mmCIF file with all atom_site columns, all heavy atoms in Angstrom:
data_model
loop_
_atom_site.group_PDB
_atom_site.id
_atom_site.type_symbol
_atom_site.label_atom_id
_atom_site.label_alt_id
_atom_site.label_comp_id
_atom_site.label_asym_id
_atom_site.label_entity_id
_atom_site.label_seq_id
_atom_site.pdbx_PDB_ins_code
_atom_site.Cartn_x
_atom_site.Cartn_y
_atom_site.Cartn_z
_atom_site.occupancy
_atom_site.B_iso_or_equiv
_atom_site.pdbx_formal_charge
_atom_site.auth_seq_id
_atom_site.auth_comp_id
_atom_site.auth_asym_id
_atom_site.auth_atom_id
_atom_site.pdbx_PDB_model_num
ATOM 1   N N   . ASP C 1 291 ? 17.901 -63.525 226.968 1.00 97.00 ? 482 ASP C N   1
ATOM 2   C CA  . ASP C 1 291 ? 17.624 -63.456 225.569 1.00 97.00 ? 482 ASP C CA  1
ATOM 3   C C   . ASP C 1 291 ? 17.220 -64.862 225.075 1.00 97.00 ? 482 ASP C C   1
ATOM 4   O O   . ASP C 1 291 ? 17.813 -65.368 224.082 1.00 97.00 ? 482 ASP C O   1
ATOM 5   C CB  . ASP C 1 291 ? 18.829 -62.867 224.825 1.00 97.00 ? 482 ASP C CB  1
ATOM 6   C CG  . ASP C 1 291 ? 18.377 -62.399 223.381 1.00 97.00 ? 482 ASP C CG  1
ATOM 7   O OD1 . ASP C 1 291 ? 17.214 -62.139 223.172 1.00 97.00 ? 482 ASP C OD1 1
ATOM 8   O OD2 . ASP C 1 291 ? 19.252 -62.201 222.513 1.00 97.00 ? 482 ASP C OD2 1
ATOM 9   N N   . PRO F 2 331 ? 19.372 -69.660 222.910 1.00 97.00 ? 409 PRO F N   1
ATOM 10  C CA  . PRO F 2 331 ? 18.416 -70.199 221.927 1.00 97.00 ? 409 PRO F CA  1
ATOM 11  C C   . PRO F 2 331 ? 19.066 -70.670 220.655 1.00 97.00 ? 409 PRO F C   1
ATOM 12  O O   . PRO F 2 331 ? 18.245 -71.099 219.736 1.00 97.00 ? 409 PRO F O   1
ATOM 13  C CB  . PRO F 2 331 ? 17.476 -69.014 221.738 1.00 97.00 ? 409 PRO F CB  1
ATOM 14  C CG  . PRO F 2 331 ? 18.379 -67.819 221.865 1.00 97.00 ? 409 PRO F CG  1
ATOM 15  C CD  . PRO F 2 331 ? 19.435 -68.216 222.813 1.00 97.00 ? 409 PRO F CD  1
ATOM 16  N N   . TYR F 2 332 ? 20.313 -70.639 220.507 1.00 98.00 ? 410 TYR F N   1
ATOM 17  C CA  . TYR F 2 332 ? 20.905 -70.933 219.177 1.00 98.00 ? 410 TYR F CA  1
ATOM 18  C C   . TYR F 2 332 ? 21.400 -72.318 219.102 1.00 98.00 ? 410 TYR F C   1
ATOM 19  O O   . TYR F 2 332 ? 22.006 -72.890 220.059 1.00 98.00 ? 410 TYR F O   1
ATOM 20  C CB  . TYR F 2 332 ? 22.103 -69.948 218.945 1.00 98.00 ? 410 TYR F CB  1
ATOM 21  C CG  . TYR F 2 332 ? 21.653 -68.551 218.690 1.00 98.00 ? 410 TYR F CG  1
ATOM 22  C CD1 . TYR F 2 332 ? 21.755 -67.585 219.663 1.00 98.00 ? 410 TYR F CD1 1
ATOM 23  C CD2 . TYR F 2 332 ? 21.009 -68.184 217.524 1.00 98.00 ? 410 TYR F CD2 1
ATOM 24  C CE1 . TYR F 2 332 ? 21.311 -66.267 219.536 1.00 98.00 ? 410 TYR F CE1 1
ATOM 25  C CE2 . TYR F 2 332 ? 20.565 -66.899 217.279 1.00 98.00 ? 410 TYR F CE2 1
ATOM 26  C CZ  . TYR F 2 332 ? 20.706 -65.938 218.360 1.00 98.00 ? 410 TYR F CZ  1
ATOM 27  O OH  . TYR F 2 332 ? 20.269 -64.651 218.152 1.00 98.00 ? 410 TYR F OH  1
ATOM 28  N N   . ILE F 2 337 ? 27.659 -69.499 216.819 1.00 95.00 ? 415 ILE F N   1
ATOM 29  C CA  . ILE F 2 337 ? 26.798 -68.392 217.239 1.00 95.00 ? 415 ILE F CA  1
ATOM 30  C C   . ILE F 2 337 ? 26.526 -68.478 218.711 1.00 95.00 ? 415 ILE F C   1
ATOM 31  O O   . ILE F 2 337 ? 26.596 -67.412 219.433 1.00 95.00 ? 415 ILE F O   1
ATOM 32  C CB  . ILE F 2 337 ? 25.440 -68.397 216.484 1.00 95.00 ? 415 ILE F CB  1
ATOM 33  C CG1 . ILE F 2 337 ? 25.684 -68.514 214.947 1.00 95.00 ? 415 ILE F CG1 1
ATOM 34  C CG2 . ILE F 2 337 ? 24.558 -67.316 216.865 1.00 95.00 ? 415 ILE F CG2 1
ATOM 35  C CD1 . ILE F 2 337 ? 26.026 -67.227 214.292 1.00 95.00 ? 415 ILE F CD1 1
ATOM 36  N N   . ILE N 1 92  ? 7.926  -66.546 212.087 1.00 98.00 ? 204 ILE N N   1
ATOM 37  C CA  . ILE N 1 92  ? 9.371  -66.322 212.129 1.00 98.00 ? 204 ILE N CA  1
ATOM 38  C C   . ILE N 1 92  ? 9.822  -66.298 213.616 1.00 98.00 ? 204 ILE N C   1
ATOM 39  O O   . ILE N 1 92  ? 10.719 -66.942 214.000 1.00 98.00 ? 204 ILE N O   1
ATOM 40  C CB  . ILE N 1 92  ? 9.734  -65.015 211.442 1.00 98.00 ? 204 ILE N CB  1
ATOM 41  C CG1 . ILE N 1 92  ? 9.408  -65.143 209.929 1.00 98.00 ? 204 ILE N CG1 1
ATOM 42  C CG2 . ILE N 1 92  ? 11.245 -64.696 211.604 1.00 98.00 ? 204 ILE N CG2 1
ATOM 43  C CD1 . ILE N 1 92  ? 9.595  -63.838 209.114 1.00 98.00 ? 204 ILE N CD1 1
ATOM 44  N N   . VAL N 1 93  ? 9.211  -65.428 214.383 1.00 98.00 ? 205 VAL N N   1
ATOM 45  C CA  . VAL N 1 93  ? 9.705  -65.195 215.762 1.00 98.00 ? 205 VAL N CA  1
ATOM 46  C C   . VAL N 1 93  ? 9.181  -66.171 216.752 1.00 98.00 ? 205 VAL N C   1
ATOM 47  O O   . VAL N 1 93  ? 9.791  -66.416 217.765 1.00 98.00 ? 205 VAL N O   1
ATOM 48  C CB  . VAL N 1 93  ? 9.512  -63.739 216.197 1.00 98.00 ? 205 VAL N CB  1
ATOM 49  C CG1 . VAL N 1 93  ? 10.007 -62.724 215.188 1.00 98.00 ? 205 VAL N CG1 1
ATOM 50  C CG2 . VAL N 1 93  ? 8.070  -63.426 216.517 1.00 98.00 ? 205 VAL N CG2 1
ATOM 51  N N   . ALA N 1 96  ? 9.685  -70.412 214.285 1.00 98.00 ? 208 ALA N N   1
ATOM 52  C CA  . ALA N 1 96  ? 11.126 -70.743 213.865 1.00 98.00 ? 208 ALA N CA  1
ATOM 53  C C   . ALA N 1 96  ? 12.120 -70.442 214.894 1.00 98.00 ? 208 ALA N C   1
ATOM 54  O O   . ALA N 1 96  ? 12.945 -71.267 215.264 1.00 98.00 ? 208 ALA N O   1
ATOM 55  C CB  . ALA N 1 96  ? 11.473 -70.002 212.563 1.00 98.00 ? 208 ALA N CB  1
ATOM 56  N N   . ALA N 1 97  ? 12.075 -69.241 215.488 1.00 98.00 ? 209 ALA N N   1
ATOM 57  C CA  . ALA N 1 97  ? 13.121 -68.764 216.349 1.00 98.00 ? 209 ALA N CA  1
ATOM 58  C C   . ALA N 1 97  ? 13.106 -69.500 217.731 1.00 98.00 ? 209 ALA N C   1
ATOM 59  O O   . ALA N 1 97  ? 14.131 -69.598 218.360 1.00 98.00 ? 209 ALA N O   1
ATOM 60  C CB  . ALA N 1 97  ? 12.999 -67.183 216.639 1.00 98.00 ? 209 ALA N CB  1
ATOM 61  N N   . THR N 1 98  ? 11.938 -70.127 218.054 1.00 98.00 ? 210 THR N N   1
ATOM 62  C CA  . THR N 1 98  ? 11.875 -70.754 219.329 1.00 98.00 ? 210 THR N CA  1
ATOM 63  C C   . THR N 1 98  ? 12.118 -72.317 219.176 1.00 98.00 ? 210 THR N C   1
ATOM 64  O O   . THR N 1 98  ? 12.168 -72.994 220.198 1.00 98.00 ? 210 THR N O   1
ATOM 65  C CB  . THR N 1 98  ? 10.589 -70.545 220.023 1.00 98.00 ? 210 THR N CB  1
ATOM 66  O OG1 . THR N 1 98  ? 9.482  -71.189 219.290 1.00 98.00 ? 210 THR N OG1 1
ATOM 67  C CG2 . THR N 1 98  ? 10.222 -69.048 220.201 1.00 98.00 ? 210 THR N CG2 1
ATOM 68  N N   . ILE N 1 109 ? 16.576 -72.358 208.449 1.00 98.00 ? 221 ILE N N   1
ATOM 69  C CA  . ILE N 1 109 ? 15.894 -71.650 207.301 1.00 98.00 ? 221 ILE N CA  1
ATOM 70  C C   . ILE N 1 109 ? 16.514 -70.330 207.072 1.00 98.00 ? 221 ILE N C   1
ATOM 71  O O   . ILE N 1 109 ? 17.023 -69.651 208.020 1.00 98.00 ? 221 ILE N O   1
ATOM 72  C CB  . ILE N 1 109 ? 14.309 -71.514 207.493 1.00 98.00 ? 221 ILE N CB  1
ATOM 73  C CG1 . ILE N 1 109 ? 14.002 -70.562 208.595 1.00 98.00 ? 221 ILE N CG1 1
ATOM 74  C CG2 . ILE N 1 109 ? 13.726 -72.881 207.780 1.00 98.00 ? 221 ILE N CG2 1
ATOM 75  C CD1 . ILE N 1 109 ? 12.498 -70.263 208.770 1.00 98.00 ? 221 ILE N CD1 1
ATOM 76  N N   . ILE N 1 111 ? 15.619 -66.568 205.474 1.00 99.00 ? 223 ILE N N   1
ATOM 77  C CA  . ILE N 1 111 ? 14.566 -65.733 204.900 1.00 99.00 ? 223 ILE N CA  1
ATOM 78  C C   . ILE N 1 111 ? 15.175 -64.542 204.334 1.00 99.00 ? 223 ILE N C   1
ATOM 79  O O   . ILE N 1 111 ? 15.724 -63.681 205.085 1.00 99.00 ? 223 ILE N O   1
ATOM 80  C CB  . ILE N 1 111 ? 13.556 -65.415 206.027 1.00 99.00 ? 223 ILE N CB  1
ATOM 81  C CG1 . ILE N 1 111 ? 12.981 -66.646 206.595 1.00 99.00 ? 223 ILE N CG1 1
ATOM 82  C CG2 . ILE N 1 111 ? 12.479 -64.457 205.468 1.00 99.00 ? 223 ILE N CG2 1
ATOM 83  C CD1 . ILE N 1 111 ? 12.005 -66.458 207.757 1.00 99.00 ? 223 ILE N CD1 1
ATOM 84  N N   . LEU N 1 132 ? 13.813 -54.783 214.128 1.00 98.00 ? 244 LEU N N   1
ATOM 85  C CA  . LEU N 1 132 ? 12.662 -55.528 214.574 1.00 98.00 ? 244 LEU N CA  1
ATOM 86  C C   . LEU N 1 132 ? 12.973 -57.024 214.852 1.00 98.00 ? 244 LEU N C   1
ATOM 87  O O   . LEU N 1 132 ? 12.775 -57.614 215.909 1.00 98.00 ? 244 LEU N O   1
ATOM 88  C CB  . LEU N 1 132 ? 11.615 -55.548 213.473 1.00 98.00 ? 244 LEU N CB  1
ATOM 89  C CG  . LEU N 1 132 ? 10.390 -56.426 213.595 1.00 98.00 ? 244 LEU N CG  1
ATOM 90  C CD1 . LEU N 1 132 ? 9.511  -55.886 214.716 1.00 98.00 ? 244 LEU N CD1 1
ATOM 91  C CD2 . LEU N 1 132 ? 9.569  -56.538 212.321 1.00 98.00 ? 244 LEU N CD2 1
ATOM 92  N N   . TYR N 1 133 ? 13.632 -57.642 213.875 1.00 98.00 ? 245 TYR N N   1
ATOM 93  C CA  . TYR N 1 133 ? 13.892 -59.076 214.068 1.00 98.00 ? 245 TYR N CA  1
ATOM 94  C C   . TYR N 1 133 ? 14.941 -59.299 215.076 1.00 98.00 ? 245 TYR N C   1
ATOM 95  O O   . TYR N 1 133 ? 14.937 -60.328 215.813 1.00 98.00 ? 245 TYR N O   1
ATOM 96  C CB  . TYR N 1 133 ? 14.193 -59.773 212.660 1.00 98.00 ? 245 TYR N CB  1
ATOM 97  C CG  . TYR N 1 133 ? 12.991 -59.846 211.826 1.00 98.00 ? 245 TYR N CG  1
ATOM 98  C CD1 . TYR N 1 133 ? 12.815 -59.106 210.683 1.00 98.00 ? 245 TYR N CD1 1
ATOM 99  C CD2 . TYR N 1 133 ? 11.994 -60.733 212.211 1.00 98.00 ? 245 TYR N CD2 1
ATOM 100 C CE1 . TYR N 1 133 ? 11.652 -59.160 209.943 1.00 98.00 ? 245 TYR N CE1 1
ATOM 101 C CE2 . TYR N 1 133 ? 10.781 -60.837 211.398 1.00 98.00 ? 245 TYR N CE2 1
ATOM 102 C CZ  . TYR N 1 133 ? 10.635 -59.973 210.280 1.00 98.00 ? 245 TYR N CZ  1
ATOM 103 O OH  . TYR N 1 133 ? 9.520  -60.122 209.539 1.00 98.00 ? 245 TYR N OH  1
ATOM 104 N N   . SER N 1 134 ? 15.853 -58.499 215.193 1.00 98.00 ? 246 SER N N   1
ATOM 105 C CA  . SER N 1 134 ? 16.981 -58.597 216.163 1.00 98.00 ? 246 SER N CA  1
ATOM 106 C C   . SER N 1 134 ? 16.497 -58.687 217.602 1.00 98.00 ? 246 SER N C   1
ATOM 107 O O   . SER N 1 134 ? 17.195 -59.172 218.471 1.00 98.00 ? 246 SER N O   1
ATOM 108 C CB  . SER N 1 134 ? 17.993 -57.529 216.015 1.00 98.00 ? 246 SER N CB  1
ATOM 109 O OG  . SER N 1 134 ? 18.626 -57.678 214.742 1.00 98.00 ? 246 SER N OG  1
ATOM 110 N N   . HIS N 1 135 ? 15.365 -58.066 217.853 1.00 98.00 ? 247 HIS N N   1
ATOM 111 C CA  . HIS N 1 135 ? 14.795 -58.001 219.178 1.00 98.00 ? 247 HIS N CA  1
ATOM 112 C C   . HIS N 1 135 ? 14.475 -59.400 219.702 1.00 98.00 ? 247 HIS N C   1
ATOM 113 O O   . HIS N 1 135 ? 14.481 -59.649 220.872 1.00 98.00 ? 247 HIS N O   1
ATOM 114 C CB  . HIS N 1 135 ? 13.612 -57.117 219.221 1.00 98.00 ? 247 HIS N CB  1
ATOM 115 C CG  . HIS N 1 135 ? 12.966 -57.016 220.604 1.00 98.00 ? 247 HIS N CG  1
ATOM 116 N ND1 . HIS N 1 135 ? 13.643 -56.533 221.644 1.00 98.00 ? 247 HIS N ND1 1
ATOM 117 C CD2 . HIS N 1 135 ? 11.693 -57.186 221.014 1.00 98.00 ? 247 HIS N CD2 1
ATOM 118 C CE1 . HIS N 1 135 ? 12.804 -56.512 222.712 1.00 98.00 ? 247 HIS N CE1 1
ATOM 119 N NE2 . HIS N 1 135 ? 11.617 -56.967 222.367 1.00 98.00 ? 247 HIS N NE2 1
ATOM 120 N N   . PHE N 1 136 ? 14.145 -60.339 218.791 1.00 98.00 ? 248 PHE N N   1
ATOM 121 C CA  . PHE N 1 136 ? 13.711 -61.622 219.180 1.00 98.00 ? 248 PHE N CA  1
ATOM 122 C C   . PHE N 1 136 ? 14.823 -62.626 219.383 1.00 98.00 ? 248 PHE N C   1
ATOM 123 O O   . PHE N 1 136 ? 15.664 -62.784 218.549 1.00 98.00 ? 248 PHE N O   1
ATOM 124 C CB  . PHE N 1 136 ? 12.667 -62.168 218.227 1.00 98.00 ? 248 PHE N CB  1
ATOM 125 C CG  . PHE N 1 136 ? 11.380 -61.360 218.263 1.00 98.00 ? 248 PHE N CG  1
ATOM 126 C CD1 . PHE N 1 136 ? 11.240 -60.228 217.471 1.00 98.00 ? 248 PHE N CD1 1
ATOM 127 C CD2 . PHE N 1 136 ? 10.374 -61.714 219.120 1.00 98.00 ? 248 PHE N CD2 1
ATOM 128 C CE1 . PHE N 1 136 ? 10.037 -59.543 217.591 1.00 98.00 ? 248 PHE N CE1 1
ATOM 129 C CE2 . PHE N 1 136 ? 9.227  -61.058 219.187 1.00 98.00 ? 248 PHE N CE2 1
ATOM 130 C CZ  . PHE N 1 136 ? 9.050  -59.878 218.425 1.00 98.00 ? 248 PHE N CZ  1
ATOM 131 N N   . PRO N 1 137 ? 14.720 -63.409 220.534 1.00 98.00 ? 249 PRO N N   1
ATOM 132 C CA  . PRO N 1 137 ? 15.785 -64.387 220.761 1.00 98.00 ? 249 PRO N CA  1
ATOM 133 C C   . PRO N 1 137 ? 15.704 -65.540 219.659 1.00 98.00 ? 249 PRO N C   1
ATOM 134 O O   . PRO N 1 137 ? 14.582 -65.883 219.268 1.00 98.00 ? 249 PRO N O   1
ATOM 135 C CB  . PRO N 1 137 ? 15.423 -64.951 222.130 1.00 98.00 ? 249 PRO N CB  1
ATOM 136 C CG  . PRO N 1 137 ? 14.066 -64.388 222.504 1.00 98.00 ? 249 PRO N CG  1
ATOM 137 C CD  . PRO N 1 137 ? 13.809 -63.247 221.630 1.00 98.00 ? 249 PRO N CD  1
ATOM 138 N N   . GLY N 1 138 ? 16.833 -66.004 219.274 1.00 98.00 ? 250 GLY N N   1
ATOM 139 C CA  . GLY N 1 138 ? 16.888 -67.166 218.392 1.00 98.00 ? 250 GLY N CA  1
ATOM 140 C C   . GLY N 1 138 ? 17.075 -66.880 216.974 1.00 98.00 ? 250 GLY N C   1
ATOM 141 O O   . GLY N 1 138 ? 17.315 -67.843 216.192 1.00 98.00 ? 250 GLY N O   1
ATOM 142 N N   . LEU N 1 139 ? 17.098 -65.641 216.548 1.00 98.00 ? 251 LEU N N   1
ATOM 143 C CA  . LEU N 1 139 ? 17.346 -65.324 215.141 1.00 98.00 ? 251 LEU N CA  1
ATOM 144 C C   . LEU N 1 139 ? 18.693 -64.794 214.902 1.00 98.00 ? 251 LEU N C   1
ATOM 145 O O   . LEU N 1 139 ? 19.276 -64.087 215.769 1.00 98.00 ? 251 LEU N O   1
ATOM 146 C CB  . LEU N 1 139 ? 16.316 -64.245 214.688 1.00 98.00 ? 251 LEU N CB  1
ATOM 147 C CG  . LEU N 1 139 ? 14.836 -64.683 214.706 1.00 98.00 ? 251 LEU N CG  1
ATOM 148 C CD1 . LEU N 1 139 ? 13.965 -63.472 214.282 1.00 98.00 ? 251 LEU N CD1 1
ATOM 149 C CD2 . LEU N 1 139 ? 14.584 -65.824 213.711 1.00 98.00 ? 251 LEU N CD2 1
ATOM 150 N N   . VAL N 1 140 ? 19.339 -65.073 213.752 1.00 98.00 ? 252 VAL N N   1
ATOM 151 C CA  . VAL N 1 140 ? 20.506 -64.478 213.292 1.00 98.00 ? 252 VAL N CA  1
ATOM 152 C C   . VAL N 1 140 ? 20.103 -63.454 212.198 1.00 98.00 ? 252 VAL N C   1
ATOM 153 O O   . VAL N 1 140 ? 19.370 -63.865 211.337 1.00 98.00 ? 252 VAL N O   1
ATOM 154 C CB  . VAL N 1 140 ? 21.485 -65.469 212.697 1.00 98.00 ? 252 VAL N CB  1
ATOM 155 C CG1 . VAL N 1 140 ? 22.739 -64.824 212.157 1.00 98.00 ? 252 VAL N CG1 1
ATOM 156 C CG2 . VAL N 1 140 ? 21.889 -66.526 213.797 1.00 98.00 ? 252 VAL N CG2 1
ATOM 157 N N   . VAL N 1 141 ? 20.586 -62.261 212.320 1.00 98.00 ? 253 VAL N N   1
ATOM 158 C CA  . VAL N 1 141 ? 20.110 -61.184 211.410 1.00 98.00 ? 253 VAL N CA  1
ATOM 159 C C   . VAL N 1 141 ? 21.347 -60.672 210.662 1.00 98.00 ? 253 VAL N C   1
ATOM 160 O O   . VAL N 1 141 ? 22.183 -59.960 211.295 1.00 98.00 ? 253 VAL N O   1
ATOM 161 C CB  . VAL N 1 141 ? 19.342 -60.066 212.102 1.00 98.00 ? 253 VAL N CB  1
ATOM 162 C CG1 . VAL N 1 141 ? 18.889 -59.010 211.068 1.00 98.00 ? 253 VAL N CG1 1
ATOM 163 C CG2 . VAL N 1 141 ? 18.197 -60.673 212.945 1.00 98.00 ? 253 VAL N CG2 1
ATOM 164 N N   . ASP N 1 162 ? 20.550 -72.127 212.526 1.00 98.00 ? 274 ASP N N   1
ATOM 165 C CA  . ASP N 1 162 ? 19.472 -71.340 213.089 1.00 98.00 ? 274 ASP N CA  1
ATOM 166 C C   . ASP N 1 162 ? 18.775 -70.598 211.965 1.00 98.00 ? 274 ASP N C   1
ATOM 167 O O   . ASP N 1 162 ? 19.374 -70.390 210.851 1.00 98.00 ? 274 ASP N O   1
ATOM 168 C CB  . ASP N 1 162 ? 20.082 -70.374 214.118 1.00 98.00 ? 274 ASP N CB  1
ATOM 169 C CG  . ASP N 1 162 ? 20.634 -71.070 215.302 1.00 98.00 ? 274 ASP N CG  1
ATOM 170 O OD1 . ASP N 1 162 ? 19.803 -71.667 216.088 1.00 98.00 ? 274 ASP N OD1 1
ATOM 171 O OD2 . ASP N 1 162 ? 21.832 -71.089 215.507 1.00 98.00 ? 274 ASP N OD2 1
ATOM 172 N N   . PRO N 1 163 ? 17.583 -70.073 212.264 1.00 98.00 ? 275 PRO N N   1
ATOM 173 C CA  . PRO N 1 163 ? 16.888 -69.339 211.204 1.00 98.00 ? 275 PRO N CA  1
ATOM 174 C C   . PRO N 1 163 ? 17.663 -67.983 211.099 1.00 98.00 ? 275 PRO N C   1
ATOM 175 O O   . PRO N 1 163 ? 18.038 -67.273 212.049 1.00 98.00 ? 275 PRO N O   1
ATOM 176 C CB  . PRO N 1 163 ? 15.550 -68.977 211.877 1.00 98.00 ? 275 PRO N CB  1
ATOM 177 C CG  . PRO N 1 163 ? 15.510 -69.531 213.266 1.00 98.00 ? 275 PRO N CG  1
ATOM 178 C CD  . PRO N 1 163 ? 16.746 -70.395 213.428 1.00 98.00 ? 275 PRO N CD  1
ATOM 179 N N   . VAL N 1 164 ? 17.894 -67.657 209.848 1.00 98.00 ? 276 VAL N N   1
ATOM 180 C CA  . VAL N 1 164 ? 18.640 -66.447 209.508 1.00 98.00 ? 276 VAL N CA  1
ATOM 181 C C   . VAL N 1 164 ? 17.749 -65.437 208.735 1.00 98.00 ? 276 VAL N C   1
ATOM 182 O O   . VAL N 1 164 ? 17.061 -65.843 207.827 1.00 98.00 ? 276 VAL N O   1
ATOM 183 C CB  . VAL N 1 164 ? 19.858 -66.774 208.625 1.00 98.00 ? 276 VAL N CB  1
ATOM 184 C CG1 . VAL N 1 164 ? 20.597 -65.469 208.194 1.00 98.00 ? 276 VAL N CG1 1
ATOM 185 C CG2 . VAL N 1 164 ? 20.841 -67.690 209.337 1.00 98.00 ? 276 VAL N CG2 1
ATOM 186 N N   . ILE N 1 165 ? 17.730 -64.207 209.174 1.00 98.00 ? 277 ILE N N   1
ATOM 187 C CA  . ILE N 1 165 ? 17.076 -63.173 208.520 1.00 98.00 ? 277 ILE N CA  1
ATOM 188 C C   . ILE N 1 165 ? 18.109 -62.464 207.630 1.00 98.00 ? 277 ILE N C   1
ATOM 189 O O   . ILE N 1 165 ? 19.041 -61.791 208.250 1.00 98.00 ? 277 ILE N O   1
ATOM 190 C CB  . ILE N 1 165 ? 16.376 -62.167 209.452 1.00 98.00 ? 277 ILE N CB  1
ATOM 191 C CG1 . ILE N 1 165 ? 15.463 -62.895 210.467 1.00 98.00 ? 277 ILE N CG1 1
ATOM 192 C CG2 . ILE N 1 165 ? 15.589 -61.079 208.674 1.00 98.00 ? 277 ILE N CG2 1
ATOM 193 C CD1 . ILE N 1 165 ? 14.326 -63.597 209.838 1.00 98.00 ? 277 ILE N CD1 1
ATOM 194 N N   . LYS N 1 235 ? 22.621 -59.152 214.646 1.00 98.00 ? 347 LYS N N   1
ATOM 195 C CA  . LYS N 1 235 ? 22.175 -60.049 215.763 1.00 98.00 ? 347 LYS N CA  1
ATOM 196 C C   . LYS N 1 235 ? 22.826 -61.445 215.571 1.00 98.00 ? 347 LYS N C   1
ATOM 197 O O   . LYS N 1 235 ? 22.295 -62.056 214.600 1.00 98.00 ? 347 LYS N O   1
ATOM 198 C CB  . LYS N 1 235 ? 20.720 -60.097 215.912 1.00 98.00 ? 347 LYS N CB  1
ATOM 199 C CG  . LYS N 1 235 ? 20.176 -61.032 216.976 1.00 98.00 ? 347 LYS N CG  1
ATOM 200 C CD  . LYS N 1 235 ? 20.178 -60.408 218.411 1.00 98.00 ? 347 LYS N CD  1
ATOM 201 C CE  . LYS N 1 235 ? 19.709 -61.371 219.446 1.00 98.00 ? 347 LYS N CE  1
ATOM 202 N NZ  . LYS N 1 235 ? 18.292 -61.323 219.738 1.00 98.00 ? 347 LYS N NZ  1
ATOM 203 N N   . PRO N 1 236 ? 23.711 -61.891 216.352 1.00 97.00 ? 348 PRO N N   1
ATOM 204 C CA  . PRO N 1 236 ? 24.441 -61.082 217.340 1.00 97.00 ? 348 PRO N CA  1
ATOM 205 C C   . PRO N 1 236 ? 25.448 -60.193 216.589 1.00 97.00 ? 348 PRO N C   1
ATOM 206 O O   . PRO N 1 236 ? 25.683 -60.442 215.417 1.00 97.00 ? 348 PRO N O   1
ATOM 207 C CB  . PRO N 1 236 ? 25.171 -62.182 218.141 1.00 97.00 ? 348 PRO N CB  1
ATOM 208 C CG  . PRO N 1 236 ? 25.315 -63.374 217.212 1.00 97.00 ? 348 PRO N CG  1
ATOM 209 C CD  . PRO N 1 236 ? 24.159 -63.316 216.285 1.00 97.00 ? 348 PRO N CD  1
#
Side-chain angles (χ1 to χ4, degrees):
Chain C
D482 201 18
Chain F
Y410 292 102
I415 306 281
Chain N
I204 298 172
V205 307
T210 66
I221 68 176
I223 301 177
L244 170 71
Y245 289 109
S246 295
H247 182 56
F248 289 89
L251 298 174
V252 174
V253 182
D274 292 294
V276 176
I277 307 299
K347 175 80 180 271

